[in-house]
């Protein structure tokens, strides 16, 4: 098998050999490669199931541990805060100590912490456990993606492997709500965390035999100051975004984001200095460093940068849509959490199928046009939401989700492959970490920004009937003016005609924000499609 990649900073074609970056790998039987990929699906499923299943355990957790509102937020937020802060550092660490080794450490730690956290006696213990899961979770996703890059150096096989990887993630996301609801209903909330143990056992048992180790042959020393700086960048920014999404504009989250951006400037300057070999003062007695934590030169490759931007914008728009859809199905359509999760399954299956079907397509159509086509398909889904009537049941919105997921599955499968192919094999861990960090940032920004716009539009457009305000306690009316959930609770406490009037007013106000956010997503997807078509147009079809 040949080693094919883009060289950083070039605009060359797929299949160009990055000379001197990696020796020819020892031939392996193809069946061993595909079995290795099957094992790598277990940590992917683990992370995907854990992310979505926990959401359905939160009410039970709140009742069991007598959790306050602030504690409940930290139970949710502790995991992504730590995860996002460590992704880049863990990707670079995998390049140095071995990606398989880091994957096994992360998997073992994730399963062990999950098992302990399942029996947490208090909210404080559960928050600490979630932070621990974020620490070990940061080792998993970059490791799986970078190992795929090295197990499948030949572009066509790698592209199919990436599609299967993405399918595993989508499948886990679809399984999470159903599995989480069933476990909580039949056992207790801790069973959602305990499920990590059986999921990870096949990887730990067979992985040492079937998954080959890979690492950067010339990694240099670990740059501890850069690791600390990366945490000082990501954690304050992610924290600030989440606080803004929850509580609105305030000095504290804005200051946190500003501090994180300032540390980002310092981090980038340090990485550039290390890349060029310029002297760097650590303040800890260290001399010059030859290996930056993050190879900034990767962003000089327009294929790499454009694929990252496309992924961030796609996740930004998608998470804003899911935030709205979950509320619509449960609060306006009256579906239970499990029912709403099942209603979304066909669209998530469409994501899997689209990702697999575009693999042979890029042999006839240039990858840039496939990515652009997927983004345009996503734009069509947002168009249905932006200009459609949401008052006649969930059919239109679920159809829009189906179209949207087809586009996301197609675009992200190819863009992820372009990200991996654009980076040298020895830097695949760092490239995968950048891709995963883009996912986290896109998801957080989508929830924070589009969620805030949706909430602000709802609050500004809600016009409760006078009779409802007079008949209800002041506190209930105030809560109805804040959130859609508050309006639903108010309606449940009122007689029939007034309840219907409250729900009609709430639906109208909520839909006003939905039309705005869907329009924003539509514009972003159309813009991303144009960017992909222009910048990636010279990337040739697969051979």
């Amino acid at each position: 098998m040949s080693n094919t990649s883009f060289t950083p900073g070039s605009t060359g074609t797929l299949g160009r050999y990055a000379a001197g970056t990696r020796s020819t790998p020892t031939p392996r039987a193809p069946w061993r490669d595909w079995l290795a990929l099957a094992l790598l699906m277990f940590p992917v499923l683990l992370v995907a199931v854990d992310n979505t299943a926990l959401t359905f355990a939160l009410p039970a957790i709140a009742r069991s541990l007598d959790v306050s509102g602030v504690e409940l937020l930290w139970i949710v937020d502790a995991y992504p805060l730590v995860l996002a802060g460590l992704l880049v550092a863990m990707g670079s660490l995998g390049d140095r100590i071995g990606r398989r080794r880091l994957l096994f450490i992360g998997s073992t730690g994730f399963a062990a912490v999950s098992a302990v956290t399942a029996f947490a006696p208090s909210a404080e213990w559960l928050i600490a456990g979630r932070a621990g899961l974020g620490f070990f979770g940061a080792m998993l996703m970059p490791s799986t993606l970078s190992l795929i890059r090295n197990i499948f150096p030949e572009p066509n096989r790698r592209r199919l492997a990436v599609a299967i990887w993405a399918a595993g993630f989508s499948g886990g996301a679809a399984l999470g709500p159903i599995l989480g609801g069933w476990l909580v209903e039949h056992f207790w909330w801790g069973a959602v965390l305990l499920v990590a143990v059986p999921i990870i056992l096949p990887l730990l048992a067979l992985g040492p035999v079937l998954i080959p180790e890979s690492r950067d042959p010339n990694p240099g020393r670990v740059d501890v100051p850069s690791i600390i700086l990366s945490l000082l960048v990501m954690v304050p920014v992610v924290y600030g975004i989440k606080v803004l999404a929850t509580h609105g504009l305030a000095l504290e989250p804005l200051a946190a984001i500003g501090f994180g951006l300032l540390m980002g400037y310092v981090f980038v300057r340090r990485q550039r200095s290390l890349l060029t070999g310029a002297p760097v003062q650590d303040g800890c007695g260290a001399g010059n460093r030859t290996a930056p934590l993050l190879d900034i030169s990767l962003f000089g490759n327009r294929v790499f940068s454009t694929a990252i931007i496309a992924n961030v914008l796609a996740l930004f728009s998608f998470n804003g849509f899911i935030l709205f859809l979950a509320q619509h199905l449960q609060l306006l359509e009256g579906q239970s959490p499990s029912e709403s999760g099942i209603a979304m399954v066909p669209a998530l299956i469409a994501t899997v199928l689209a990702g697999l079907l575009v693999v042979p397509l890029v042999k006839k159509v240039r990858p840039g046009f496939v990515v652009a086509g997927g983004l345009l398909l996503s734009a069509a889904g947002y168009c249905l939401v932006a200009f459609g009537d949401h008052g006649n049941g969930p059919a239109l919105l679920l159809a829009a989700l189906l179209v949207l997921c087809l586009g996301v599955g197609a675009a992200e499968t190819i863009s992820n492959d372009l990200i991996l192919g654009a980076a040298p094999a020895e830097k695949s861990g760092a490239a995968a970490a950048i891709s995963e960090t883009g996912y986290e940032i896109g998801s957080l920004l989508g929830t924070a920004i589009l969620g805030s716009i949706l909430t602000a539009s709802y609050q500004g457009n809600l016009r409760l009937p006078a009779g409802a305000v007079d008949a209800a306690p002041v506190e209930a009316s105030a809560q109805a003016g804040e959130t859609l959930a508050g309006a639903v609770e108010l309606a449940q406490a009122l007689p029939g005609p007034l309840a219907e009037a409250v729900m009609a007013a709430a639906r109208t106000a909520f839909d006003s924000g939905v039309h705005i956010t869907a329009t924003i997503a539509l514009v972003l997807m159309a813009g991303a499609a144009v960017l992909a078509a222009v910048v990636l147009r010279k990337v040739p079809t697969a051979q």
Side-chain angles (χ1 to χ4, degrees), residues 139-491:
M139 303 179 186
L140 299 181
M141 298 308 287
S143 295
T144 58
L145 202 51
S146 56
L147 282 168
I148 287 172
R149 168 67 177 85
N150 286 270
I151 293 172
F152 299 95
E154 194 275 320
N156 288 325
R157 297 173 75 235
R158 183 186 67 233
R159 197 170 293 112
L160 178 58
V162 170
I164 295 172
W165 176 87
F169 200 84
S170 298
L175 179 63
I178 301 169
L179 180 62
W182 186 85
L183 288 173
V184 171
E185 182 179 347
H186 290 82
F187 298 96
W188 91 111
W189 63 264
V192 174
L193 295 169
L194 271 183
V195 77
V197 177
I199 289 178
I200 217 65
L201 285 178
L203 172 71
L204 298 178
L206 301 175
V209 177
L210 293 173
I211 300 175
E213 182 61 284
S214 67
R215 59 170 59 87
D216 187 341
N218 300 297
R221 289 179 292 176
V222 175
D223 183 24
V224 176
S226 287
I227 294 176
I228 296 173
L229 279 172
S230 71
L231 284 169
L232 292 177
V233 174
M234 293 302 302
V235 172
V237 170
V238 172
Y239 171 77
I241 291 171
K242 283 189 164 290
V243 173
L244 283 176
T246 306
H247 302 292
L249 285 175
L251 179 61
E252 179 189 355
L254 291 176
I257 293 173
F259 176 78
L261 294 177
L262 177 62
M263 291 298 100
Y265 172 75
V266 176
F267 176 81
V268 170
R269 286 201 60 178
R270 179 178 180 84
Q271 302 316 298
R272 286 177 173 168
S273 298
L274 294 173
L275 191 64
T276 60
V280 174
Q281 297 299 323
D282 290 331
C284 57
N288 295 350
R289 303 277 184 174
T290 57
L293 178 68
L294 178 62
D295 189 347
I296 300 296
S297 67
L298 289 172
F299 291 97
N301 186 317
R302 296 201 305 164
V303 172
F304 182 89
S305 299
T306 301
I308 292 288
I309 292 171
N311 276 355
V312 170
L313 292 179
L315 265 293
F316 175 91
S317 303
F318 185 75
N319 278 271
F321 179 78
I322 292 298
L323 177 67
F324 140 69
L325 184 61
Q327 294 183 69
H328 182 95
L329 292 178
Q330 294 182 38
L331 298 176
L332 295 180
E333 301 296 339
Q335 295 184 355
S336 69
S338 296
E339 288 172 340
S340 61
I342 293 173
M344 296 182 189
V345 168
L348 293 170
I349 293 174
T351 308
V352 174
L353 294 177
L356 295 174
L357 291 174
V358 294
V359 173
L361 181 62
V362 292
K363 295 182 179 180
K364 299 179 180 180
V365 181
R366 293 198 172 197
F369 297 138
V370 174
V371 174
L375 294 172
L376 284 177
L377 199 57
S378 296
Y382 293 120
C383 187
L384 288 174
V385 179
F387 302 106
D389 181 3
H390 311 156
N392 298 316
L396 174 67
L397 295 176
L398 292 175
L401 178 65
L402 180 66
V403 174
L404 170 60
C405 285
L406 285 170
V408 169
E412 291 198 355
T413 295
I414 302 305
S415 60
N416 274 322
D417 179 68
L418 291 174
I419 290 169
L420 292 182
E426 72 274 11
K427 298 295 182 184
S428 59
I434 294 170
S435 177
E436 291 298 322
T437 303
Y439 269 66
E440 290 295 320
I441 293 298
S443 299
L444 286 168
L445 288 176
T447 301
I449 296 176
L450 295 182
S452 297
I453 292 173
L454 179 62
T455 300
S457 180
Y458 169 81
Q459 293 173 353
N461 288 281
L462 181 65
R463 301 291 183 267
L464 290 175
V469 175
D470 296 336
V474 175
E475 182 180 349
S477 298
Q479 290 176 345
E482 292 292 325
T483 66
L484 179 61
V488 173
E489 291 184 8
L490 174 63

Side-chain angles (χ1 to χ4, degrees), residues 97-154:
I97 71 171
R99 294 131 190 166
R100 185 183 69 175
R101 176 183 297 179
L102 188 68
L103 177 64
F104 290 164
I105 293 172
S107 299
T108 303
F110 199 99
V113 173
S114 294
V116 173
T117 306
F119 300 96
S122 66
E124 292 80 8
W125 277 99
L126 182 54
I127 292 168
R130 289 282 291 165
L133 291 175
F135 176 81
F136 288 108
M139 303 179 186
L140 299 181
M141 298 308 287
S143 295
T144 58
L145 202 51
S146 56
L147 282 168
I148 287 172
R149 168 67 177 85
N150 286 270
I151 293 172
F152 299 95
E154 194 275 320

